Amino acid sequence: TQLLEQSPQFLSIQEGENLTVYCNSSSVFSSLQWYRQEPGEGPVLLVTVVTGGEVKKLKRLTFQFGDARKDSSLHITAAQPGDTGLYLCADFRMLNAGGTSYGKLTFGQGTILTVHP
Amino acid sequence: NAGVTQTPKFRILKIGQSMTLQCTQDMNHNYMYWYRQDPGMGLKLIYYSVGAGITDKGEVPNGYNVSRSTTEDFPLRLELAAPSQTSVYFCASRLGLAGGSQQYFGPGTRLTVT
């Protein structure tokens, strides 16, 4: 069973600070996804990375995928209160059950980020 | 497009009661999923469906049942509710299985069993 560990579990910072959160897997990722979940809402996809060493940028967010495809980091520059939320990493892979293919997401436990004005 | 909608938003059940959590998507997605999210834990897959009439168990199916009579609807049934089923439940759907394809989540149902 694949286990995803995210750190830190909680992060509380002031507006304007930079931060990095981490995601480590017990096995090689098939397709790594990062989600943000705001209170009272479901997770929303931020990015998908599939190639080892890949770096993707989304405005002030930078996502890095480890060369061995077992770890990833999310760096936020100049954090804003609107960045507050739960950040989840997940592995998406196709599985087969009884001849039927389906896609499965395995999630880490998340990092709860609070950005204070 | 409303996306994925879930009802109710909140519910309190007594031990032993039953209820159905409703989930509807208007994107004509074949794949639909039910997850539960406990504090400090990631989302765990309860059941999934690959199309109307086809469902299967995920990681934590005990105490739950599902049906998929239409493409749009994927209700989750709790029989004989137990305190261990206190959680936030999310329904999700996706169009295809390509790694970059997006999975859309509903807003969740917060269930408390006392």
Side-chain angles (χ1 to χ4, degrees):
Chain A
T1 304
Q2 182 184 25
L3 292 176
L4 302 187
E5 288 286 333
Q6 291 188 241
S7 60
Q9 191 172 353
F10 301 95
L11 194 52
S12 179
I13 63 171
Q14 293 297 127
E15 182 175 3
E17 292 183 6
N18 301 331
L19 66 111
T20 303
V21 298
Y22 301 91
C23 174
N24 290 283
S25 175
S26 59
S27 56
V28 172
F29 281 99
S30 177
S31 176
L32 167 65
Q33 298 186 328
W34 281 95
Y35 289 80
R36 178 167 66 212
Q37 183 179 10
E38 298 186 13
E41 300 294 330
V44 175
L45 180 67
L46 294 173
V47 75
T48 299
V49 285
V50 296
T51 305
E54 188 174 2
V55 177
K56 282 194 174 180
K57 291 183 186 288
L58 183 66
K59 296 183 182 177
R60 293 177 293 101
L61 278 60
T62 301
F63 304 87
Q64 197 149 1
F65 200 16
D67 291 339
R69 297 176 61 232
K70 291 186 71 176
D71 60 275
S72 179
S73 63
L74 160 58
H75 182 80
I76 301 179
T77 303
Q80 298 175 1
D83 296 325
T84 292
L86 174 66
Y87 288 80
L88 294 159
C89 67
D91 182 35
F92 177 78
R93 62 181 65 221
M94 274 182 45
L95 299 175
N96 190 287
T100 301
S101 293
Y102 72 103
K104 182 182 176 187
L105 277 169
T106 300
F107 286 89
Q109 81 278 22
T111 293
I112 297 173
L113 171 65
T114 303
V115 182
H116 301 280
Chain B
N1 264 2
V4 180
T5 57
Q6 292 183 238
T7 57
K9 194 132 177 92
F10 303 94
R11 184 74 186 267
I12 299 174
L13 280 182
K14 293 191 184 304
I15 295 171
Q17 287 185 322
S18 301
M19 76 164 293
T20 299
L21 282 66
Q22 301 292 345
C23 174
T24 300
Q25 52 92 8
D26 62 359
M27 298 173 283
N28 203 32
H29 287 173
N30 283 327
Y31 301 92
M32 294 188 75
Y33 304 84
W34 274 106
Y35 297 86
R36 58 177 289 171
Q37 185 177 35
D38 300 319
M41 309 282 284
L43 284 77
K44 299 286 188 189
L45 181 64
I46 305 171
Y47 269 94
Y48 67 92
S49 170
V50 302
I54 308 171
T55 64
D56 207 346
K57 297 176 181 178
E59 301 168 87
V60 290
N62 291 345
Y64 307 95
N65 271 302
V66 294
S67 59
R68 184 98 182 267
S69 56
T70 66
T71 299
E72 296 78 21
D73 300 307
F74 189 39
L76 178 72
R77 177 86 179 156
L78 277 71
E79 304 282 1
L80 298 175
S84 61
Q85 293 178 304
T86 294
S87 189
V88 183
Y89 292 84
F90 290 97
C91 179
S93 73
R94 67 187 304 136
L95 178 62
L97 296 181
S101 64
Q102 185 161 351
Q103 188 152 318
Y104 295 86
F105 287 82
T109 294
R110 183 175 294 274
L111 175 68
T112 302
V113 182
T114 61

